[in-house]
């Protein structure tokens, strides 16, 4: 359990693959075949691309850094990531990784950073599909007027994360 609710983590031998909020909105992307039935996540039939095995030791480093982040003791994550997406999504997620702790950017800022200045809606969709909440900090992306908008964990969680980081936005500063 974290200060923003239950989290689901998944890792491969290359790094963290997913950090998802347990509470999901209808239609929200997930790496889990059936987020409500953990039994179906355990090593499916041979030939399946995904096999989930519970392992506290495999996730220990990720969990420790997340604990430090939530305690206000960590500003950057140092573990490896195994990002999986389209070229555009990967470009957007890499741009998110450059947003410093405690700062925010607009969807337009990210669109310009990835060379698609008019693509702020596409950036929003890439953020919506971000498989690594908190770590790939899409919570640091706000509307151009400084207000909070769109977040897979809900706006209350987005607000909590930005407050934890000491970010200043129009809605937080008020």
């Amino acid at each position: 359990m974290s200060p923003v609710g239950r989290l689901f983590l998944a890792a491969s031998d290359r790094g963290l693959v997913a950090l998802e909020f347990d509470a999901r909105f209808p239609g929200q992307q997930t790496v889990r075949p059936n987020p409500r039935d953990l039994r179906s996540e355990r090593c499916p039939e041979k030939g399946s691309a995904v096999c989930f095995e519970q392992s506290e030791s495999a996730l220990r480093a990720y969990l420790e850094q997340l604990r430090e982040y939530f305690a206000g003791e960590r500003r950057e994550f140092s573990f490896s990531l195994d990002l999986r997406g389209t070229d555009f999504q990967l470009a957007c997620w890499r741009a998110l990784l450059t947003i410093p702790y405690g700062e925010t950017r607009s969807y337009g800022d990210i669109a310009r950073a990835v060379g698609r200045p008019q693509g702020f809606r596409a950036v929003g969709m890439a953020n919506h599909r971000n498989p690594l909440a908190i770590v790939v900090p899409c919570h640091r992306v706000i509307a151009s007027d400084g207000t909070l908008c769109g977040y897979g964990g809900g706006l209350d969680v987005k607000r909590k994360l930005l407050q934890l980081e000491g970010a200043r936005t129009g809605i937080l500063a008020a």
Side-chain angles (χ1 to χ4, degrees):
M1 186 66 104
S2 79
V4 293
R6 290 179 51 118
L7 301 173
F8 172 84
L9 282 76
S12 72
D13 56 349
R14 294 187 304 222
L16 192 64
V17 174
L19 194 163
E20 301 175 354
F21 296 101
D22 192 51
R24 311 224 27 99
F25 295 108
Q28 197 170 10
Q29 183 172 320
T30 179
V31 299
R32 296 177 278 178
N34 183 349
R36 297 295 173 227
D37 183 2
L38 292 175
R39 291 170 300 187
S40 69
E41 296 176 353
R42 305 239 193 275
C43 295
E45 297 176 24
K46 214 173 186 180
S48 176
V50 178
C51 177
F52 290 92
E53 295 179 30
Q54 193 166 354
S55 172
E56 287 185 34
S57 63
L59 297 175
R60 187 170 289 124
Y62 307 112
L63 294 170
E64 179 60 21
Q65 288 191 33
L66 283 165
R67 185 202 61 74
E68 292 169 356
Y69 170 81
F70 287 121
E73 301 166 357
R74 175 173 289 276
R75 293 173 168 245
E76 293 180 10
F77 298 99
S78 61
F79 45 74
S80 297
L81 305 179
D82 184 0
L83 288 170
R84 301 172 184 192
T86 66
D87 289 342
F88 180 74
Q89 288 170 335
L90 292 170
C92 290
W93 300 337
R94 288 183 187 115
L96 296 177
L97 288 166
T98 69
I99 305 171
Y101 180 96
E103 294 186 21
T104 58
R105 300 290 184 272
S106 71
Y107 291 94
D109 292 334
I110 302 302
R112 286 185 290 281
V114 299
R116 299 262 306 266
Q118 301 303 313
F120 54 91
R121 284 189 183 90
V123 166
M125 289 307 299
N127 281 7
H128 180 70
R129 299 209 181 278
N130 172 14
L132 290 169
I134 302 167
V135 174
V136 176
C138 55
H139 62 277
R140 296 179 188 156
V141 182
I142 59 174
S144 58
D145 66 1
T147 59
L148 301 186
C149 62
Y151 189 61
L155 293 183
D156 287 341
V157 170
K158 186 171 190 164
R159 185 176 292 106
K160 284 180 186 179
L161 293 171
L162 290 172
Q163 287 173 335
L164 169 75
E165 295 183 6
R168 291 275 180 222
T169 72
I171 199 156
L172 291 176

